[in-house]
Amino acid sequence: MTARSLHHIGIAVDDLDAAIDLWVALFGASLEHRERVDDQGVEAASLAVGPSRVELLAPLRPDTPVGRFLEKRGPGMHHVAFEVDDVAAELRRLQASGTRLIDETPRRGMFGLQVAFVHPEATGGVLAEFVGDE
């Protein structure tokens, strides 16, 4: 894999508005973008913190992946996202090595970017996401 950078850290929250206010007040974050991503069952907010980015995720329903995460673990770090040149190529590379994936093909994420997730069992317990234009 050739990750260009750490794209963002995803954090599951119960109340998106309250979480945005908290990150702004505590860390001087600024709201960069807010979007409802229906096919992932979340409303997400991207916050700029200096040159870095935090993505806050609130479930639209309890039966979504983030909703189940919150039910099981409570609010907290949900995933780490890596920016790559070609999400589909990274998935093919990992499939060829037998790595367990959540997504076998990219899907649309925030900002209209392509995203795909690697199963936490393949990464030592951390949900990892690839993010890219392709």
Side-chain angles (χ1 to χ4, degrees):
M1 175 174 101
T2 308
R4 291 189 299 205
S5 66
L6 183 66
H7 189 269
H8 68 267
I9 302 291
I11 299 174
V13 301
D14 290 314
D15 181 329
L16 189 58
D17 291 323
I20 292 168
D21 291 345
L22 178 71
W23 280 78
V24 168
L26 291 179
F27 307 111
S30 60
L31 180 61
E32 178 181 42
H33 182 74
R34 185 171 178 161
E35 181 176 344
R36 185 179 164 121
V37 185
D38 288 310
D39 67 329
Q40 293 184 32
V42 297
E43 184 172 5
S46 178
L47 302 176
V49 184
S52 301
R53 186 178 286 136
V54 172
E55 184 179 87
L56 303 174
L57 305 160
L60 296 175
R61 300 174 313 279
D63 65 340
T64 64
V66 172
R68 289 188 297 271
F69 178 94
L70 284 168
E71 177 66 29
K72 185 175 181 180
R73 296 180 182 90
M77 192 177 99
H78 182 261
H79 67 273
V80 177
F82 298 93
E83 186 174 9
V84 297
D85 290 325
D86 186 333
V87 175
E90 293 301 333
L91 292 174
R92 287 191 300 273
R93 182 181 66 79
L94 293 181
Q95 285 172 326
S97 70
T99 301
R100 186 167 179 196
L101 302 173
I102 291 176
D103 297 305
E104 294 185 5
T105 58
R107 53 185 156 141
R108 184 189 130 352
M110 275 185 73
F111 303 103
L113 296 171
Q114 295 291 306
V115 302
F117 289 89
V118 179
H119 199 282
E121 288 180 6
T123 64
V126 177
L127 180 61
E129 178 184 24
F130 290 133
V131 177
D133 295 328
E134 296 183 42

